[in-house]
Amino acid sequence: MEKAIQRQKILLQHLRPVSSSASSDISASICLAGDSAAYHRNACFGDDVVSVAAYRTPLCKSKRGGFKDTHADDLLSPVLKALIDTSKINPSEVGDIVVGTVLAPGSQRASECRMAAFYAGFPETVPIRTVNRQCSSGLQAVADVAAAIKAGFYDIGIGAGLESMTVNPMAWEGSINPKVKDFQKARDCLLPMGITSENVAHRFGVTRQEQDQAAVLSHKKAAAATASGKFKDEIIPVATKIIDPKTQVEKNVVISVDDGIRPNTSLSDLAKLKTVFKKDGTTTAGNSSQVSDGAGAVLLMRRSVAEQKGLPVLGVFRSFAAVGVDPAVMGVGPAVAIPAAVKAAGLELNDVDLFEINEAFASQYVYCCKQLELDPEKVNVNGGAMAIGHPLGATGARCVATLLHEMKRRGKDCRFGVISMCIGTGMGAAAVFERGDIVDTLSNARRIQVNNQLSKDAL
């Protein structure tokens, strides 16, 4: 009987508001976020999932950049440690660490991530796992942790991303199932990413000049952001070593800036580059993302826990969407995923103040911006992957760090931000964040007499 009573108490606890002072007889009314505050504003907003810290390593060119001699676990551990050092939380309170990663053998990378957690000072009691949704893996890790917190599995978690494309280059291992020849969509999953870029450019009429112009702007914006110190808040310097390939002499260094940015990139220079994937195509090394090494990590927790600990809220995780698209033009993914995530947050595209869209290729980036009719002044304001780099599994976490810190800098002029990327084999992912310090506690609520559960939109 006592066990039954205790079980009833636990079940009833799930039905109670997070805040004891929250009244249940309220309904949403008009507010800044839209007619009915559809983006999950309610009396229990202490249940929001928030980010209190987000960091990344510098991103470096694979094979020849600053991390060419750095082990993958030595990329992840500094950003994990930075989350604990800056937030001052007890690392044993972390319920889970989820790491997005793509190219390394699964079991090996899982072991490396566990090792990195120990290097960073986490106790053996904190679990860790990896997740792979191609180029969105870092964002998927953040979304997985947010979902677990929302579900009540734990109150604090870390979503991270890691890739060393020096150690693990893109390659197909083993044989290909001959059955693939009978399925067009399956065959298209095997297309080189550069060919899918050419397909986007051809199918949707994106010119070589448009692509090169996008690349020039990416480098110029990234260079300006670096020169003005904008990335200092998000980048954690990494102490490592570089080995001279000729003499094999090791040199201890501290890498603190992205090393792929070319401030002097010009249209005339890019026009001289030969196409890589198609003789009469438009995709070149200059208007594609850089192959890179790097890591990023985001500390997430329930808002009520952040408030108890006195931690400033950097951003609120509002929604996430992953969608499937035609593998032959996989780069169009953001054009489908962004509207889905924005709708899930109860917003319109015009409500979004900043966009971080991964520049896998200029062709798909240009197409997505044009298709969604995005204001260029709102998109990749500090440059993107064509300049900064695209370490596949880390990109999502890097974008979260870049977006949230830029939203914080802009203050009241920036409330909502979106992160999105295309995904190999034909998918897209997107997430919506709200700036943490702008949330209006129930200012959109009014007491009602008849609880008919209808929003103003339904009348």
Side-chain angles (χ1 to χ4, degrees):
M1 179 62 72
E2 289 184 3
K3 287 184 177 180
I5 293 174
Q6 181 62 26
R7 183 171 181 271
Q8 286 182 344
K9 288 181 178 179
I10 293 173
L11 291 173
L12 286 171
Q13 189 65 35
H14 290 310
L15 302 177
R16 293 174 182 167
V18 173
S19 171
S20 60
S21 62
S23 176
S24 61
D25 59 343
I26 59 174
S27 71
S29 64
I30 296 173
C31 78
L32 291 177
D35 190 17
S36 300
Y39 68 101
H40 308 304
R41 172 70 77 257
N42 55 53
C44 305
F45 85 112
D47 199 40
D48 283 343
V49 177
V50 303
S51 168
V52 299
Y55 299 112
R56 68 176 179 93
T57 67
L59 302 191
C60 296
K61 295 175 287 187
S62 71
K63 304 293 185 183
R64 52 200 176 95
F67 293 142
K68 71 180 184 67
D69 301 306
T70 302
H71 292 287
D73 38 329
D74 284 333
L75 290 174
L76 181 60
S77 60
V79 288
L80 293 180
K81 186 175 188 301
L83 295 180
I84 299 303
D85 290 347
T86 56
S87 67
K88 306 298 182 186
I89 69 168
N90 186 331
S92 65
E93 294 182 274
V94 175
D96 200 4
I97 302 171
V98 181
V99 184
T101 185
V102 178
L103 298 175
S107 59
Q108 177 180 321
R109 182 47 46 84
S111 297
E112 289 173 324
C113 290
R114 177 73 162 156
M115 292 155 56
F118 287 132
Y119 303 154
F122 286 85
E124 63 186 29
T125 53
V126 177
I128 193 167
R129 69 175 172 89
T130 60
V131 62
N132 185 349
R133 200 196 289 270
Q134 308 277 28
C135 300
S136 71
S137 297
L139 182 60
Q140 186 67 58
V142 172
D144 283 2
V145 170
I149 293 174
K150 200 72 174 177
F153 296 160
Y154 46 80
D155 288 332
I156 302 174
I158 293 173
L162 166 67
E163 207 72 61
S164 172
M165 298 179 79
T166 293
V167 176
N168 306 111
M170 297 181 70
W172 184 274
E173 295 185 10
S175 61
I176 296 173
N177 189 339
K179 184 166 62 176
V180 73
K181 70 179 185 298
D182 298 324
F183 295 86
Q184 179 64 50
K185 297 296 183 185
R187 286 204 305 277
D188 289 345
C189 289
L190 299 174
L191 288 173
M193 295 298 98
I195 293 298
T196 68
S197 170
E198 294 288 6
N199 289 344
V200 170
H202 176 73
R203 187 178 299 186
F204 302 108
V206 183
T207 68
R208 168 73 181 268
Q209 185 172 8
E210 286 178 305
Q211 295 175 57
D212 287 351
Q213 181 64 51
V216 169
L217 287 175
S218 184
H219 282 280
K220 289 191 180 304
K221 288 188 285 189
T226 301
S228 63
K230 284 186 176 182
F231 291 144
K232 287 185 178 180
D233 290 339
E234 66 189 68
I235 287 181
I236 299 301
V238 177
T240 186
K241 65 181 180 182
I242 292 181
I243 301 174
D244 187 301
K246 294 181 179 179
T247 65
Q248 297 301 302
V249 173
E250 292 187 8
K251 179 181 179 182
N252 293 323
V253 295
V254 175
I255 308 297
S256 58
V257 295
D258 306 311
D259 67 15
I261 302 170
R262 301 187 297 274
N264 298 321
T265 298
S266 67
L267 277 174
S268 59
D269 291 336
L270 293 184
K272 298 173 184 177
L273 298 177
K274 294 182 179 180
T275 57
V276 179
F277 301 96
K278 192 176 178 182
K279 186 176 181 180
D280 59 346
T282 58
T283 300
T284 72
N287 58 34
S288 305
S289 59
Q290 296 192 36
V291 179
S292 311
D293 307 328
V298 183
L299 179 59
L300 299 155
M301 61 183 66
R302 201 177 303 280
R303 183 195 288 277
S304 57
V305 174
E307 290 178 343
Q308 290 168 9
K309 293 181 177 296
L311 294 172
V313 175
L314 197 58
V316 185
F317 188 93
R318 285 298 174 205
S319 70
F320 171 78
V323 301
V325 299
D326 182 352
V329 286
M330 67 91 197
V332 305
V336 184
I338 289 174
V342 169
K343 182 179 180 180
L347 303 172
E348 301 290 339
L349 275 176
N350 289 337
D351 294 319
V352 179
D353 303 293
L354 277 180
F355 294 86
E356 278 289 329
I357 301 178
N358 187 45
E359 300 168 351
F361 297 95
S363 61
Q364 57 84 209
Y365 170 72
V366 170
Y367 165 77
C368 291
C369 291
K370 289 169 67 175
Q371 177 68 14
L372 296 176
E373 298 181 343
L374 302 183
D375 180 351
E377 297 299 317
K378 292 183 176 182
V379 188
N380 292 7
V381 296
N382 294 317
M386 287 185 283
I388 300 170
H390 178 26
L392 307 184
T395 287
R398 192 283 294 177
C399 287
V400 172
T402 301
L403 178 78
L404 293 183
H405 284 285
E406 182 61 28
M407 290 174 69
K408 179 182 177 181
R409 274 190 295 272
R410 296 193 172 208
K412 65 180 182 180
D413 294 328
C414 183
R415 181 165 188 171
F416 295 103
V418 165
I419 291 165
S420 187
M421 64 280 295
C422 60
I423 303 169
T425 71
M427 291 178 280
V432 177
F433 286 84
E434 181 176 12
R435 208 182 81 239
D437 60 355
I438 201 169
V439 174
D440 45 348
T441 311
L442 291 181
S443 65
N444 62 313
R446 57 181 171 81
R447 196 170 298 278
I448 60 172
Q449 301 302 320
V450 180
N451 188 17
N452 60 15
Q453 304 298 316
L454 290 177
S455 73
K456 184 175 182 294
D457 301 286
L459 298 178

